[in-house]
Amino acid sequence: LCVVTPLVSAYSIIFPKQISTRYRGNQIRNRIRSKRPRNAKLYSSTSQGVSDDGQSKIPSYTHSDIEWRITPFEDMTKFQRLKLKLASKAIRLDCAIKGQTPPPVLCPKGGKAVLEARLVSSKRRLFGKVPAIARFGFTTNRGPSCPPIDDTIREVFQREPNNVNIGAVIFMVVEEAYRSRNIGTLALEVIGAIQAYQGCDFTILVADDNGSGDLIKWYENRSFTRAPKLQDLMGSPNEKNGVSMLGFTREYGVEAWDNLNLKW
């Protein structure tokens, strides 16, 4: 896309030739804690924050119940957020003028973003903003592999890691009242679709459930596997900050964009 405005540089359109970046351990930890985060005003998390094993009698959500919205990461200033909002509107306007279909995904520059889940049926708050019921941090740039990841791919997936690209889940937090409703599973599908679209082959994360093992099993039931060789790489030696895990990104595919109510 070509939009005649300097604001567009604030966004990074995901195409196959996007520049790769390496990830730092402290940026790719999925730390689900039992204590409420210090700076969290609306959201809370526990070791069961994304648990939705289907055993609860509470009805589970589907993608038709959720509006997914990609937002800037928390460390972005208000002015930068305003630039992103204006840039997205400019891109949509340019597509409309040219009779083109807007890209299905548009992520802010900076290498990471937050995926917010909002109920379609929720009543709008002041100024028309729907409150988020869950938030999920993830990387928006595909990163190159490295020897520990390559070794894990060979051992676990029995394939030669030729030119593989890596995405990461940074955190997953679901409001307590909406847990065990399938939101975590749906979020992994959306993140997987986004990262697969940008050319990622595998997704990595660190799952911290304070040693209970429940969160580990939850991820294993969703196609992730333990990756002991990645513990140091992920900033969690000897599982100090959780268990490193690796999943096949394209497990969720990219063919279901019409079923994802995704906004950017």
Side-chain angles (χ1 to χ4, degrees):
L1 287 176
C2 178
V3 184
V4 185
T5 170
L7 292 174
V8 177
S9 62
Y11 265 91
S12 175
I13 302 177
I14 298 176
F15 286 125
K17 293 185 179 180
Q18 190 172 8
I19 298 175
S20 298
T21 59
R22 290 189 177 275
Y23 305 124
R24 298 178 181 178
N26 63 347
Q27 292 179 332
I28 52 182
R29 298 174 187 167
N30 178 21
R31 307 180 67 174
I32 310 300
R33 293 294 190 182
S34 59
K35 296 182 180 179
R36 188 180 182 89
R38 291 181 180 179
N39 59 347
K41 297 181 180 179
L42 177 63
Y43 314 102
S44 61
S45 65
T46 69
S47 61
Q48 298 300 314
V50 291
S51 176
D52 44 9
D53 55 14
Q55 297 179 0
S56 174
K57 295 181 180 180
I58 302 175
S60 296
Y61 290 123
T62 66
H63 284 296
S64 61
D65 300 311
I66 304 294
E67 176 187 283
W68 301 100
R69 186 171 293 272
I70 299 176
T71 63
F73 215 74
E74 300 169 346
D75 56 2
M76 189 168 288
T77 66
K78 291 183 178 180
F79 179 69
Q80 291 174 319
R81 289 172 180 269
L82 178 60
K83 287 176 60 179
L84 290 172
K85 187 174 183 179
L86 294 175
S88 64
K89 292 183 179 296
I91 292 173
R92 290 191 183 93
L93 177 61
D94 182 74
C95 291
I97 293 175
K98 295 180 179 179
Q100 299 175 344
T101 301
V105 178
L106 198 63
C107 293
K109 281 188 175 180
K112 53 187 179 180
V114 175
L115 180 70
E116 293 187 347
R118 304 177 184 181
L119 285 179
V120 174
S121 59
S122 294
K123 293 183 178 180
R124 293 185 176 273
R125 286 186 174 180
L126 190 62
F127 303 116
K129 186 176 182 180
V130 177
I133 61 174
R135 302 172 73 249
F136 310 89
F138 65 102
T139 57
T140 57
N141 289 341
R142 63 186 186 186
S145 185
C146 62
I149 295 178
D150 290 344
D151 291 342
T152 300
I153 293 174
R154 292 189 186 95
E155 294 177 4
V156 176
F157 298 96
Q158 286 80 48
R159 59 170 286 185
E160 191 62 29
N162 296 321
N163 299 318
V164 297
N165 295 293
I166 310 298
V169 175
I170 304 173
F171 67 84
M172 299 182 72
V173 180
V174 180
E175 277 280 14
E176 186 173 1
Y178 299 95
R179 295 171 190 167
S180 300
R181 307 270 315 254
N182 201 44
I183 295 177
T185 298
L186 297 177
L188 284 179
E189 292 178 359
V190 177
I191 293 174
I194 294 172
Q195 292 183 335
Y197 182 72
Q198 72 179 128
C200 294
D201 302 290
F202 294 90
T203 298
I204 54 179
L205 56 85
V206 171
D208 185 5
D209 58 8
N210 296 320
S212 70
D214 293 337
L215 187 60
I216 310 303
K217 293 179 181 178
W218 186 88
Y219 280 113
E220 289 177 336
N221 290 336
R222 285 150 186 83
S223 302
F224 281 85
T225 185
R226 290 172 178 261
K229 293 186 176 181
L230 305 186
Q231 292 293 157
D232 291 342
L233 174 70
M234 303 289 281
S236 182
N238 299 319
E239 300 184 1
K240 179 180 179 181
N241 297 310
V243 177
S244 59
M245 306 191 77
L246 179 71
F248 191 43
T249 304
R250 297 189 186 281
E251 175 76 17
Y252 304 108
V254 295
E255 68 279 353
W257 287 107
D258 292 339
N259 297 326
L260 304 180
N261 187 11
L262 181 64
K263 310 293 184 183
W264 48 263

